Amino acid sequence: MFLSVKGLTKAFGELQVLNSIDLTIDEGNIITIIGPSGSGKTTLLRCLNALEIPDQGVLSFHDGFEVNFGQKVSKKQLSKLSRKAGMVFQSYNLFPHKTALENVTEGPLIVQKRKRDEVLQLAKSILNKVGLGDKMDLYPHQLSGGQQQRVGIARALAIEPELMLFDEPTSALDPELVGDVLQVIKDLANEGWTMVIVTHELKFAEQVSDTVIFMDHGQIVEQGHPSQVLKSPTQERTSKFIKRVINP
């Protein structure tokens, strides 16, 4: 077990977005989350690295680190939680006034206070790894959407997290740019990264996932092996959603 999630609950005012989510993530596993808009997928990801603070629930990691949101949680705990997970956003979220290299070095230098020479070497290595070694001095507006998203992946990797979170990483991309980004994620999967990916790319989910989760109305409706959930779902809500995605 890498991470255990128990009773994770989150509301925004009267709107209950997550309703007592229970989830176990094993080390090196790739979990993809599918479901309609507004089902709580993104909020769940954001709760896993303290971008949103749950109302209730316990996160327990393999190394004994635990955060119980039913009790008072310290800034130190939230900081440690945020360092455990690297987040790749739907809309890139790059600093427009910084080069690709500067975007990647920002977290390790400013937040983690690591040595500049070490961080530069790491950042250049990661940008090469995602196929952008020749683009590191360019600014976001000089890069395609797919290249910007690969910078986003490199930036998340640069903090050297234990867990990678992807929030619909290809949904803002033109169709011809999707393949390059998915290939980078597949390469990370082959390296044994533990990942949670929110996606509408069902074929991709089938190819890379150990587990597929279908969420609706803030709850996990169904979860299991990709071939089971995507090909032979047991829940009618899952079946209807998959048919809508395949035949919009």
Side-chain angles (χ1 to χ4, degrees):
M1 186 275 291
F2 172 80
L3 170 62
S4 168
V5 179
K6 281 196 163 59
L8 203 66
T9 301
K10 177 67 180 175
F12 296 105
E14 297 294 310
L15 181 64
Q16 192 72 39
V17 182
L18 295 178
N19 191 1
S20 197
I21 297 287
D22 291 337
L23 176 63
T24 299
I25 302 170
D26 289 326
E27 189 157 7
N29 269 18
I30 297 158
I31 292 180
T32 52
I33 305 176
I34 63 172
S37 297
S39 59
K41 307 183 300 294
T42 293
T43 301
L44 174 56
L45 278 197
R46 292 173 67 87
C47 286
L48 295 182
N49 75 338
L51 285 171
E52 298 287 355
I53 308 303
D55 301 321
Q56 294 287 334
V58 180
L59 301 182
S60 305
F61 285 85
H62 62 105
D63 57 3
F65 175 62
E66 183 173 288
V67 185
N68 185 342
F69 291 100
Q71 303 171 354
K72 184 170 175 59
V73 178
S74 68
K75 285 185 179 178
K76 186 176 179 182
Q77 283 179 297
L78 293 177
S79 177
K80 186 171 181 179
L81 178 59
S82 69
R83 288 198 304 273
K84 280 190 171 290
M87 183 83 157
V88 178
F89 299 90
Q90 182 175 339
S91 53
Y92 324 137
N93 280 22
L94 300 180
F95 295 109
H97 59 289
K98 292 183 181 292
T99 64
L101 182 62
E102 289 167 340
N103 266 281
V104 175
T105 59
E106 178 85 1
L109 285 176
I110 306 302
V111 179
Q112 296 179 326
K113 313 288 188 194
R114 285 155 61 185
K115 292 179 181 176
R116 185 168 191 83
D117 289 349
E118 169 199 318
V119 168
L120 279 172
Q121 187 176 353
L122 173 68
K124 288 175 181 177
S125 168
I126 294 172
L127 282 167
N128 276 313
K129 178 178 180 171
V130 299
L132 294 174
D134 59 340
K135 309 287 185 187
M136 59 181 70
D137 294 324
L138 299 184
Y139 291 86
H141 74 272
Q142 296 173 303
L143 300 171
S144 70
Q147 289 167 340
Q148 289 184 63
Q149 190 58 292
R150 282 186 277 155
V151 174
I153 295 171
R155 179 183 58 185
L157 290 169
I159 66 167
E160 298 188 320
E162 297 175 37
L163 172 68
M164 285 288 285
L165 307 172
F166 294 85
D167 184 16
E168 299 195 28
T170 60
S171 65
L173 300 178
D174 292 332
E176 68 269 20
L177 301 176
V178 168
D180 289 343
V181 172
L182 293 183
Q183 186 57 55
V184 170
I185 299 173
K186 285 179 185 176
D187 291 344
L188 294 176
N190 290 333
E191 289 176 19
W193 279 86
T194 308
M195 298 193 273
V196 183
I197 307 168
V198 171
T199 185
H200 285 299
E201 302 277 348
L202 299 189
K203 187 175 180 183
F204 170 71
E206 186 179 4
Q207 290 172 346
V208 303
S209 309
D210 295 291
T211 302
V212 173
I213 289 173
F214 172 68
M215 283 185 68
D216 197 14
H217 296 298
Q219 295 179 310
I220 292 176
V221 175
E222 186 165 0
Q223 63 179 305
H225 191 273
S227 60
Q228 182 262 303
V229 176
L230 298 173
K231 301 290 188 186
S232 307
T234 60
Q235 301 297 314
E236 189 179 349
R237 281 154 77 188
T238 313
S239 182
K240 281 183 177 177
F241 171 78
I242 291 170
K243 284 175 183 170
R244 279 205 309 271
V245 173
I246 295 171
N247 301 302

